[in-house]
């Protein structure tokens, strides 16, 4: 047999391919049915998809703050999961939100100004432009579930979690700032007080010396010196005695004021320390921001009762803490405007069935060719 005859025997014409597929039509039908069944199953498992839009209060959130909150959300979710109430929706939502990648993929902020808007605002100032481009207008959350009710429940869980956890993380950050101030500031103030007290001794001696000189040389009092000059400058000794005396007394008064302010701040920190000790204990007991804020308000009211009306430093510390709690509640507790908008949809059945049918046919064709090659 020649080489050309061998090649012709190995070649398969288009007619033979078509006849082979027609003769094995049952395999193609079976593959198509299997593909359709897989497509229908995939469509059913895919379930419903929902998108919730939460509008942020004007000026309530910027990109830096949002990124910091998103970094802390998975940790809060993991802590909540340990004490979950057992509801399937609640547990699934917490497990879902405990994954950092989920936040990047499904929670998308939209800014007040987009790149297209910036082109139309050439006349706006740079500061206003930067503030608007960094301010978040709304936050979109994407979720999926087996039913419409499940999607709505998941979306509401996420919205509630964002509000509670944003407030919790803000309060936690504030308490950490209090703790840092308590650890570092007293040592700085004590050093400042020691230096100021030492400086006041020298200033007092300078005032006494100048008073003595003025009595000793009464004719050298001179008139008020109109030129501004630093009393510590080497040329200051040539100023009239009255001018030098006024400058020395002024330095002494400034030092006394600085000393009073430093001691006053130490008094504030002592009151702040009592509050912070209680607050740190409350941080570990509950990660719900609203529950934590209520507990902190209760502790602050009890602390205010212990501070006498004569203790102005303590009263000032209580007022500052109250202001911080109120600010956190306004900025984070009331983060969103009104009720969120939730849109629930279900993907069409055509695409999954079409893909399943194509996959089933391709599998059937492949199975026919493999069977025929094995029978040769």
């Amino acid at each position: 047999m020649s080489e050309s005859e061998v090649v012709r025997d190995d070649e398969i014409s288009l007619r033979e391919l078509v006849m082979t597929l027609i003769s094995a039509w049952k395999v193609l039908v079976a593959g198509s049915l299997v593909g359709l069944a897989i497509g229908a199953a995939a469509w059913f498992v895919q379930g419903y998809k929902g998108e919730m839009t939460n509008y942020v209060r004007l000026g309530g959130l910027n990109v830096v703050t949002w990124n910091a909150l998103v970094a802390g959300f998975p940790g809060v979710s993991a802590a909540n999961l340990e004490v979950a109430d057992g509801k399937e929706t609640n547990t699934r939502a917490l497990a879902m939100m405990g994954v950092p990648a989920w936040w990047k993929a499904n929670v998308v902020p939209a800014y007040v100004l987009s790149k297209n808007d910036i082109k139309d605002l050439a006349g706006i100032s740079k500061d206003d432009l930067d503030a608007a481009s960094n301010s978040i207008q709304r936050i979109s959350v994407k979720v999926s579930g087996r039913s419409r009710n499940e999607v709505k429940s998941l979306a509401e869980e996420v919205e509630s979690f964002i509000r509670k956890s944003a407030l919790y993380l803000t309060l936690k950050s504030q308490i950490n700032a209090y703790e840092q101030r308590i650890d570092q500031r007293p040592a700085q103030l004590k050093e400042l007080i020691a230096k100021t007290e030492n400086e006041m001794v020298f200033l007092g001696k300078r005032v006494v010396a100048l008073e003595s000189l003025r009595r000793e040389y009464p004719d050298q009092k001179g008139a008020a010196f109109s030129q501004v000059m630093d009393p510590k400058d080497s040329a200051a000794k040539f100023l009239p005695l009255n001018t030098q005396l006024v400058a020395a007394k002024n330095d002494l008064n400034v030092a006394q004021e600085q000393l009073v302010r430093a001691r006053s701040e130490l008094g504030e920190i002592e009151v702040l320390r009592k509050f912070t000790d209680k607050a740190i204990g409350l941080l570990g007991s509950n990660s719900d921001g609203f529950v934590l804020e209520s507990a902190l308000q209760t502790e602050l009211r009890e602390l205010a009762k212990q501070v006498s009306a004569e203790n102005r430093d303590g009263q000032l510390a209580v007022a500052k803490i109250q202001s911080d709690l109120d600010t956190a509640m306004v900025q984070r507790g009331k983060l969103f405007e009104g009720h969120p908008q939730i849109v629930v949809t279900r993907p069409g059945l055509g695409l999954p069935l079409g893909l399943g049918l194509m996959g089933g046919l391709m599998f059937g064709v492949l199975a026919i060719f493999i069977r025929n090659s094995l029978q040769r």
Side-chain angles (χ1 to χ4, degrees):
M1 182 180 294
S2 65
E3 184 176 348
S4 60
E5 292 175 343
V6 173
V7 172
R8 284 194 299 272
D9 290 341
D10 290 340
E11 290 178 352
I12 301 176
S13 65
L14 179 60
R15 182 175 180 279
E16 290 176 339
L17 288 175
V18 174
M19 295 304 297
T20 301
L21 294 177
I22 293 175
S23 62
W25 65 272
K26 294 181 179 180
V27 177
L28 295 178
V29 172
S32 300
L33 292 176
V34 171
L36 289 173
I38 294 175
W43 174 80
F44 180 78
V45 171
Q46 188 178 20
Y48 293 83
K49 292 184 179 295
E51 183 171 353
M52 176 181 62
T53 302
N54 300 278
Y55 283 87
V56 179
R57 291 183 181 274
L58 184 62
L61 197 60
N62 58 46
V63 61
V64 176
T65 304
W66 173 249
N67 288 338
L69 292 174
V70 169
F73 283 158
V76 179
S77 179
N80 287 342
L81 188 59
E82 296 178 358
V83 293
D85 57 12
K87 292 194 304 182
E88 182 181 357
T89 303
N90 179 267
T91 303
R92 183 189 170 192
L94 291 175
M96 177 178 66
M97 292 184 292
V99 181
W102 181 87
W103 289 95
K104 293 183 179 180
N106 296 282
V107 183
V108 182
Y111 302 100
V112 174
L113 291 180
S114 64
K115 293 182 179 180
N116 294 330
D117 296 329
I118 293 176
K119 297 177 182 178
D120 301 329
L121 297 173
I124 193 173
S125 67
K126 185 178 183 301
D127 293 340
D128 292 340
L129 184 62
D130 291 341
S133 59
N134 290 326
S135 297
I136 295 177
Q137 182 186 47
R138 62 185 183 275
I139 296 174
S140 298
V141 180
K142 298 177 182 178
V143 293
S144 59
R146 294 185 296 270
S147 65
R148 291 182 179 273
N149 289 335
E150 183 179 1
V151 170
K152 289 183 179 180
S153 297
L154 281 173
E156 291 170 356
E157 287 282 350
V158 174
E159 188 266 344
S160 176
F161 176 85
I162 290 176
R163 288 189 297 106
K164 293 188 294 187
S165 298
L167 179 57
Y168 171 80
L169 292 172
T170 301
L171 292 172
K172 182 180 179 181
S173 177
Q174 187 63 58
I175 293 170
N176 289 339
Y178 289 161
E179 189 176 14
Q180 184 177 10
R181 182 186 177 193
I182 292 169
D183 292 339
Q184 298 178 359
R185 189 59 178 161
Q188 297 172 351
L189 289 173
K190 289 176 182 178
E191 180 183 2
L192 177 62
I193 289 172
K195 289 182 178 180
T196 304
E197 288 176 340
N198 189 54
E199 180 69 14
M200 288 177 63
V201 173
F202 289 102
L203 289 173
K205 291 180 179 179
R206 184 187 300 173
V207 170
V208 172
L210 289 171
E211 290 280 5
S212 176
L213 285 172
R214 189 173 63 169
R215 288 192 299 269
E216 187 175 352
Y217 302 101
D219 296 334
Q220 300 298 323
K221 294 179 182 179
F225 196 75
S226 59
Q227 182 179 357
V228 178
M229 181 178 292
D230 185 359
K232 296 183 178 62
D233 190 270
S234 59
K237 61 185 178 181
F238 300 109
L239 293 173
L241 291 176
N242 273 351
T243 302
Q244 295 184 50
L245 185 60
V246 169
K249 287 186 176 180
N250 181 67
D251 288 346
L252 184 59
N253 291 335
V254 170
Q256 288 175 337
E257 180 181 351
Q258 190 175 33
L259 188 64
V260 171
R261 289 181 180 276
R263 288 172 175 167
S264 175
E265 188 174 351
L266 276 178
E268 291 180 34
I269 291 177
E270 286 304 313
V271 175
L272 184 62
R273 186 191 303 276
K274 295 179 181 179
F275 175 79
T276 304
D277 290 341
K278 296 287 187 180
I280 291 174
L282 294 172
L283 275 177
S285 61
N286 198 304
S287 55
D288 185 327
F290 293 100
V291 175
L292 176 62
E293 195 271 343
S294 177
L296 291 175
Q297 291 282 9
T298 301
E299 291 295 339
L300 184 60
R301 285 193 293 269
E302 292 297 324
L303 180 61
K305 294 178 182 178
Q306 302 173 13
V307 179
S308 63
E310 293 77 17
N311 186 358
R312 294 184 178 179
D313 299 335
Q315 294 289 345
L316 180 59
V318 170
K320 288 181 178 180
I321 296 171
Q322 183 68 63
S323 176
D324 291 338
L325 293 179
D326 293 343
T327 301
M329 188 64 179
V330 171
Q331 292 181 345
R332 301 294 172 258
K334 300 177 180 179
L335 182 62
F336 299 131
E337 291 184 348
H339 298 287
Q341 302 175 3
I342 305 176
V343 178
V344 181
T345 58
R346 186 164 193 175
L349 184 59
L351 181 61
L353 290 181
L355 293 176
L357 179 61
M358 291 177 59
L361 283 172
M362 292 178 63
F363 180 79
V365 171
L366 182 61
I368 292 171
F369 287 150
I370 292 175
R371 185 189 64 180
N372 289 347
S373 63
L374 294 176
Q375 289 178 353
R376 290 189 175 186

